[in-house]
Amino acid sequence: MEFLNDVNFVEVGTIALVVLISFLIGRVFFDRKRVSDYPPAIPGLPLIGNLLQLKAKKPHQTFAKWAELYGPIYSIKTGATTLVVLNTAEVAKEAMVAKFSSISSRKLSNALTILTADKSMVAMSDYGDFHKMVKRNILKIILGPSAQKRNHHLRETMIDSMLSQLHAYIKENALQAVNLRVVFKRELFKLALRQALGKDIESIYVGELGKCLSQSEIFDILVVDPMMGAIEVDWRDFFPYLRWVPNKPVEEKIHQMAYRRSAVTRALIQNQKKRIDGGEKVDCYLDFLLSETKMLTEEQLTMLVWEAIIETSDTTLVTTEWAMYELAKNPECQDRLYQEIRGVCGSEKVTENHLPQLPYLSAIFHETLRKHSPVPIIPPRYVHEDTQLGGYKIPAGTEIAINIYGCNMDKKEWDHPEEWKPERFVEKPNETMDLHKTMSFGGGKRSCAGALQAMLISCSAIGRFVQDFEWRLKEGEEENEDTVQLTTHKLKPMLAFLTPRGKK
């Protein structure tokens, strides 16, 4: 009897197991049919998903390779998070423009949440009243068309200063290569300080840190450290349900960066207030924020002033350095640009007024943006209601990553995208080139507010550099194209020999 009971138990268990397996197989088949309208998923491992496949710290390149295998839209698992990656300009524009109302919120990492004071800045804030107000303000005072005309003398002074330094350097060091980044970085930062604070700050005492800082130290705290902190990887970003687990090394590092950044910015603001109280007349972004925007908290004021400084100081440098690298590497392109400048400007120096007459210079700028996108992946956005992209269903709760690098390396869109060919942006007869085709400045309501200023600074600088000098890369520099981790920042500064025009 006991034996029969055992047999019956085994039989029942076997039958139950067969039924369960049949059910699961049927459910998987049903689910596959049910989710066929969703983006294809990249195969990964249990729990961690595709994280190990992204360990090379060049996710934009990995995303582009996957696009060739799985199509331009696919989903990946990064721990507990589902991320849909877009790799073509067409679908990117659909997400940023047509479906903006469904995908308008930012999804920030732990590091970015701290560094942005929970989105208290234009670039990272969610679309709403605060974003509209602060974007309107910065366009009015610094970045919009009227502000560009008003501040053009600041940019001209900056470029004149760079050229003077380059001429002086090669006069004393004719046989040594020039590190353009050192000169450009310093002058861009001075411009950023003048626009934000109305004055170039050589040094300042920061009471919260208990010491006086040089301009170089201010630059490191306000620009270099936050940029590196923004790409700091915290494993808890991929497992939100484990955020309660401490990760002290990363936490302390980011909080220290944020504290030092805020302490220096507050010191700059207090210094500005003293100047105003002393009767000094200053016309700058901070003055406007202090007088016109009464609803800002102290933290928001601090963040907005800092944002105006860091964003002027960084991406324009990246694009201009890559452009000069490519021109020094491609002497035929450099000569074509020089001849264009001679034909338009003659003996006059290149100014912003000449730029509309220099189409090849514009083509160089946009081709450099395409190949060396300053922001290869736009910070993820959060889908807060069910929507569709590229014919696929995207459920609420999904994160969207737009791979700008992938869009600009799409072989269906660009002929030999790995090559730097400005000619692809030169207008043909009866054809108007879409200068936003690269998507490097985003699109729609969240397009980059600083696009116009970046173009004016970079194009004017490139034009003047080529007008005054012939550029030739130092031996061994031709293949020096490695970048800094998650970014497209050139890992090593470009080194080039400069020969004054007419003195070969």
Side-chain angles (χ1 to χ4, degrees):
M1 188 73 175
E2 291 177 359
F3 174 76
L4 289 176
N5 287 339
D6 290 340
V7 170
N8 291 339
F9 177 78
V10 171
E11 290 178 347
V12 171
T14 301
I15 294 172
L17 182 61
V18 170
V19 171
L20 178 61
I21 292 174
S22 301
F23 171 78
L24 290 176
I25 292 174
R27 182 60 184 267
V28 169
F29 177 76
F30 173 78
D31 283 349
R32 284 181 177 175
K33 288 189 63 179
R34 183 173 61 83
V35 302
S36 60
D37 292 335
Y38 292 82
I42 306 299
L45 298 173
L47 298 179
I48 64 173
N50 306 101
L51 286 176
L52 286 181
Q53 295 156 287
L54 300 173
K55 65 181 180 179
K57 295 188 177 181
K58 305 286 184 185
H60 52 283
Q61 295 178 1
T62 303
F63 288 167
K65 291 177 182 177
W66 282 344
E68 295 180 5
L69 296 174
Y70 298 96
I73 310 175
Y74 52 77
S75 67
I76 64 173
K77 292 287 289 184
T78 54
T81 304
T82 298
L83 184 70
V84 170
V85 185
L86 313 181
N87 293 274
T88 65
E90 181 181 1
V91 181
K93 289 178 180 178
E94 182 183 359
M96 289 190 283
V97 182
K99 302 300 174 63
F100 176 79
S101 61
S102 302
I103 318 172
S104 60
S105 300
R106 291 291 194 200
K107 187 71 173 181
L108 303 186
S109 64
N110 290 334
L112 277 176
T113 300
I114 295 169
L115 290 169
T116 65
D118 197 16
K119 306 182 181 180
S120 296
M121 54 191 295
V122 181
M124 295 298 177
S125 59
D126 291 333
Y127 189 75
D129 291 340
F130 175 78
H131 174 84
K132 294 176 185 176
M133 175 186 69
V134 294
K135 187 172 184 178
R136 183 170 59 247
N137 290 341
I138 200 168
L139 285 171
K140 180 177 181 179
I141 304 304
I142 298 181
L143 301 177
S146 297
Q148 294 304 303
K149 293 178 181 178
R150 187 169 61 250
N151 295 330
H152 77 278
H153 65 287
L154 296 177
R155 297 189 294 276
E156 288 183 1
T157 299
M158 176 193 72
I159 293 175
D160 284 342
S161 179
M162 285 192 289
L163 267 297
S164 295
Q165 292 176 59
L166 291 176
H167 277 288
Y169 181 85
I170 63 172
K171 185 176 181 179
E172 296 181 4
N173 307 276
L175 300 179
Q176 294 187 27
V178 169
N179 182 339
L180 177 62
R181 185 185 300 181
V182 172
V183 176
F184 206 167
K185 177 181 70 175
R186 182 169 55 241
E187 292 301 320
L188 264 179
F189 188 53
K190 290 180 178 180
L191 173 68
L193 293 174
R194 291 185 183 111
Q195 289 186 154
L197 304 168
K199 185 179 181 180
D200 178 18
I201 308 295
E202 291 294 336
S203 63
I204 191 169
Y205 179 77
V206 182
E208 293 179 65
L209 302 182
K211 59 181 177 180
C212 186
L213 300 177
S214 66
Q215 187 175 90
S216 177
E217 291 172 315
I218 296 171
F219 178 83
D220 287 342
I221 291 173
L222 295 187
V223 180
V224 177
D225 291 349
M227 290 300 300
M228 297 308 297
I231 60 176
E232 185 73 40
V233 176
D234 184 342
W235 60 267
R236 295 175 303 176
D237 289 327
F238 308 114
F239 302 95
Y241 49 80
L242 294 178
R243 289 196 177 190
W244 58 272
V245 178
N247 189 3
K248 287 188 177 180
V250 172
E251 285 180 352
E252 291 176 356
K253 181 179 179 180
I254 300 301
H255 279 291
Q256 183 66 11
M257 285 180 180
Y259 173 74
R260 287 164 57 83
R261 181 273 318 276
S262 296
V264 172
T265 308
R266 282 192 290 266
L268 292 171
I269 292 173
Q270 289 304 315
N271 186 56
Q272 175 80 331
K273 289 180 177 179
K274 290 179 181 178
R275 292 164 58 201
I276 294 173
D277 292 341
E280 185 175 341
K281 186 178 180 180
V282 182
D283 182 17
C284 63
Y285 184 46
L286 175 57
D287 286 357
F288 177 82
L289 294 178
L290 291 172
S291 62
E292 298 293 331
T293 313
K294 307 298 183 183
M295 297 180 63
L296 292 176
T297 66
E298 181 180 349
E299 184 173 58
Q300 288 172 336
L301 176 67
T302 301
M303 290 300 302
L304 294 175
V305 172
W306 169 70
E307 180 181 23
I309 294 172
I310 188 174
E311 292 186 358
T312 298
S313 304
D314 183 63
T315 53
T316 307
L317 168 63
V318 174
T319 300
T320 308
E321 184 178 32
W322 276 119
M324 296 312 302
Y325 169 85
E326 295 287 2
L327 285 169
K329 187 178 178 180
N330 297 274
E332 66 284 353
C333 296
Q334 185 179 164
D335 186 62
R336 176 175 174 176
L337 174 59
Y338 177 64
Q339 296 304 326
E340 178 182 74
I341 291 171
R342 285 190 63 185
V344 171
C345 302
S347 59
E348 297 179 2
K349 67 181 182 182
V350 176
T351 67
E352 293 177 3
N353 292 332
H354 293 119
L355 297 184
Q357 306 170 62
L358 299 169
Y360 194 63
L361 175 56
S362 176
I364 286 169
F365 173 72
H366 288 283
E367 174 65 354
T368 303
L369 282 178
R370 185 199 66 79
K371 185 181 178 187
H372 305 285
S373 308
V375 182
I377 302 176
I378 294 178
R381 296 186 182 183
Y382 185 76
V383 179
H384 46 81
E385 62 182 21
D386 292 349
T387 189
Q388 286 193 336
L389 286 175
Y392 290 109
K393 294 180 181 179
I394 310 296
T398 305
E399 293 182 24
I400 298 288
I402 299 175
N403 185 18
I404 297 297
Y405 173 87
C407 295
N408 293 336
M409 289 292 159
D410 183 3
K411 293 180 180 178
K412 294 181 180 179
E413 185 71 24
W414 306 97
D415 179 40
H416 299 291
E418 71 284 353
E419 298 180 11
W420 186 80
K421 299 194 299 183
E423 292 73 18
R424 69 175 95 236
F425 280 97
V426 177
E427 295 180 19
K428 298 177 182 178
N430 303 318
E431 179 180 325
T432 301
M433 174 59 72
D434 178 9
L435 295 181
H436 292 281
K437 191 176 182 180
T438 66
M439 302 301 295
S440 295
F441 292 123
K445 297 177 181 178
R446 293 302 302 257
S447 61
C448 176
L452 177 58
Q453 176 168 277
M455 182 180 70
L456 291 174
I457 293 174
S458 190
C459 287
S460 298
I462 294 167
R464 287 291 303 279
F465 292 155
V466 171
Q467 184 180 41
D468 278 33
F469 303 104
E470 179 181 328
W471 294 69
R472 176 172 55 88
L473 288 178
K474 183 179 179 181
E475 186 177 353
E477 285 288 303
E478 289 80 4
E479 304 304 322
N480 184 11
E481 296 194 9
D482 200 8
T483 57
V484 178
Q485 295 183 2
L486 304 175
T487 73
T488 54
H489 291 219
K490 204 169 183 300
L491 180 61
K492 297 180 180 179
M494 178 194 73
L495 299 177
F497 293 103
L498 276 58
T499 303
R501 295 288 181 179
K503 294 185 180 181
K504 290 195 285 185

